[in-house]
Amino acid sequence: MRAFIIEKYKGVLREAEVPEPSVGERDVLIEVAAAGANQLDAKIRAGEFKAILPYKLPLALGHDVAGTVIGVGSGVQGFALGDRVYARPRDHRIGTFAQRIAVDESEVALAPKTIDLAQAASLPLVALTAWQALVERGNLQAGQKVLIHAGAGGVGTIAIQLAKHLGAHVATTASAKNAEFLRGLGADQVIDYRTQDFAAELSDFDLVLDSLGGENLSKSLTVLRAGGKAIGITGPPTPEFAAENGLNPVMGLVTRALSSKIRKQAKILGVEYEFLFMKPSGSQLRRIAELVDAGAIKPVVGKTYAFEQTSEALGALAEGGLRGKVVITVP
């Protein structure tokens, strides 16, 4: 079958013929209709995650999929041939930039009924990230205040809608041209990152979802109330993350060193910092599908590319300026 692969880190993403997926007892074989492109794909290609995600090369990229079930393992009970599904395959089993992929049934859900498969493919990684940050880790409640950085991005557009659905007061950072668009998604405050300092404008927030890291994360701690929490999805990773994911002792020491400055700052300010690396979950995707079908969450697809343009689609992420997600459609 056809797939887009890398043969070395920092190498070219190119089309190649690869073996058909092996379908295990608990696997669902999906004919790919569309795949979402994510910054994670670009970072894996660049080798930025090889210390914590040591993939064997060559590797087919792609972390989001929507399509039709064309095969099931002998132990699968929840899916049947012809089902329209979506998923975020687990790490070390990625490869949605392909014609077909086998995914463990625990990571698959029926796609929302009210949207097409290209829109469904835009959701899994970013919607799961938003859910796990705001609901699982952040325990965001009605009436609380949350700051969501980069509101016009893939995670931001979904997180704003989810936070508003939960009843929170939502602030976000974005360029001025996206202000009205983000208010339409549910943002109560839009801070123009080019002309305004969010740390001077905001205070006493319960939660921050940071996708930028660095100085932006450090400043984010200062807008939290005592006991508030900042959740970072770009890092730095923490020792807790290393322990949860069974990384070796050396990586435990590395993550301790990488996060020491931000953890110390958080302790001084009386707030918390957590690093989130999203985990696949079919059960959470089912909850998200319900919210989509109820109209609480609407996918935001900034641009679509044909399968043959997969390399260009990944390049568009680096250029920036798009709202929501980049999606690749597969014939």
Side-chain angles (χ1 to χ4, degrees):
M1 70 173 182
R2 298 158 63 199
F4 274 82
I5 68 168
I6 56 169
E7 295 173 295
K8 62 180 181 179
Y9 290 121
K10 300 183 181 179
V12 175
L13 179 65
R14 69 174 186 86
E15 187 177 346
E17 284 290 326
V18 302
E20 290 287 339
S22 174
V23 181
E25 180 183 355
R26 308 288 298 190
D27 287 347
V28 175
L29 181 61
I30 301 170
E31 185 88 57
V32 179
N38 293 283
Q39 292 291 347
L40 182 56
D41 297 301
K43 291 181 177 183
I44 287 176
R45 184 174 75 88
E48 293 184 27
F49 281 94
K50 61 184 178 182
I52 59 175
L53 283 177
Y55 280 106
K56 181 181 178 181
L57 302 175
L59 170 70
L61 292 177
H63 290 77
D64 284 324
V65 64
T68 304
V69 176
I70 58 172
V72 294
S74 60
V76 173
Q77 298 181 344
F79 300 95
L81 302 186
D83 283 346
R84 295 168 74 255
V85 296
Y86 73 146
R88 193 290 204 188
R90 69 184 61 175
D91 298 325
H92 301 291
R93 291 195 65 181
I94 65 170
T96 63
F97 297 167
Q99 292 178 299
R100 289 168 288 281
I101 186 170
V103 185
D104 189 284
E105 70 168 333
S106 67
E107 295 150 14
V108 182
L110 294 176
K113 300 174 183 177
T114 55
I115 59 176
D116 61 35
L117 288 175
Q119 292 172 307
S122 75
L123 287 170
L125 187 145
V126 296
L128 287 171
T129 299
W131 183 276
Q132 290 169 24
L134 302 183
V135 178
E136 275 196 337
R137 301 286 191 94
N139 191 28
L140 188 64
Q141 302 294 313
Q144 291 188 322
K145 299 197 297 183
V146 59
L147 168 60
I148 297 165
H149 284 293
V155 173
T157 53
I158 303 303
I160 288 170
Q161 295 177 77
L162 178 58
K164 180 52 61 175
H165 171 74
L166 294 171
H169 173 93
V170 185
T172 189
T173 55
S175 61
K177 69 178 182 179
N178 285 318
E180 287 307 310
F181 165 71
L182 296 176
R183 290 191 182 98
L185 293 182
D188 298 290
Q189 291 177 269
V190 182
I191 307 297
D192 181 358
Y193 70 87
R194 291 174 176 167
T195 62
Q196 295 174 280
D197 179 1
F198 73 86
E201 301 276 348
L202 307 175
S203 61
D204 295 320
F205 271 62
D206 299 279
L207 185 65
V208 175
L209 174 53
D210 177 73
S211 56
L212 301 173
E215 181 62 24
N216 196 81
L217 174 59
S218 180
K219 287 173 63 176
S220 294
L221 297 185
T222 68
V223 310
L224 291 168
R225 62 164 175 80
K229 181 184 292 185
I231 297 175
I233 59 175
T234 59
T238 61
E240 291 77 13
F241 163 78
E244 288 172 6
N245 289 272
L247 300 184
N248 63 52
V250 173
M251 286 306 302
L253 292 173
V254 170
T255 57
R256 183 174 297 278
L258 289 172
S259 62
S260 62
K261 182 179 178 181
I262 198 72
R263 288 186 293 110
K264 180 183 289 186
Q265 182 188 2
K267 185 175 181 180
I268 291 171
L269 293 172
V271 300
E272 298 179 57
Y273 165 67
E274 290 186 15
F275 173 65
L276 171 64
F277 198 78
M278 185 277 303
K279 297 181 183 299
S281 171
S283 62
Q284 290 177 5
L285 286 177
R286 287 193 288 274
R287 299 283 300 277
I288 291 161
E290 291 170 359
L291 292 178
V292 172
D293 287 337
I297 292 178
K298 297 179 180 179
V300 179
V301 177
K303 193 169 183 179
T304 59
Y305 289 83
F307 185 63
E308 294 78 9
Q309 299 173 301
T310 296
S311 294
E312 291 92 325
L314 206 58
L317 297 178
E319 295 174 11
L322 292 173
R323 292 175 177 173
K325 288 289 292 291
V326 169
V327 172
I328 298 153
T329 57
V330 183

